[in-house]
Structure formats: C-alpha cells, structure tokens
C-alpha cells in the first residue's frame, strides 16, 4: 500500500534519524491490537530496513 506521508525514523545502518516516506506499510492485527511497520531505504547505504510506525499513521489500505 503506497503512502505519501513522511515520518522520522532511525536508520539502523548509519544510526542517524532520517525523515523518509515508507515504500510499503504492513499492518499487523492481533486480538484487537494493531501495529504498523514501514519498509524504508537508507539514503546513504541503499539498504532496506523496517521501522515501527506510529499507530495514528494515515495510510489507505
């Protein structure tokens, strides 16, 4: 699901906080709880990583 809202996340490869838009968002629902995980690309290294998104992150399914 494509999203266009940028969010501040910590890049695990460079250990810096970056502002990026997730390429894909995964929504995991379990027993009434819902978490959102975004797939990002590091701007310096080009490696992909996952990061937890805020629960109020707006994205269409």
């Amino acid at each position: 699901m494509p999203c266009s809202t940028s969010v501040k996340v910590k890049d695990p490869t460079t250990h810096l906080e970056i502002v990026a838009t997730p390429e894909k968002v995964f929504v995991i629902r379990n027993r009434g709880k819902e978490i959102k995980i975004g797939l990002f690309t590091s701007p310096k290294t080009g490696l992909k990583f996952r990061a937890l998104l805020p629960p109020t992150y707006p994205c269409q399914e």
Side-chain angles (χ1 to χ4, degrees), residues 37-48:
I37 299 173
L39 181 66
F40 298 91
T41 302
S42 175
K44 289 192 177 186
T45 61
L47 297 174
K48 295 193 182 288

Side-chain angles (χ1 to χ4, degrees), residues 16-36:
L16 299 173
E17 286 196 4
I18 60 170
V19 177
T21 304
E23 296 175 15
K24 191 168 184 180
V25 175
F26 300 97
V27 180
I28 301 171
R29 294 181 183 97
N30 188 11
R31 296 183 186 174
K33 292 185 179 182
E34 180 179 286
I35 62 170
K36 296 179 181 179

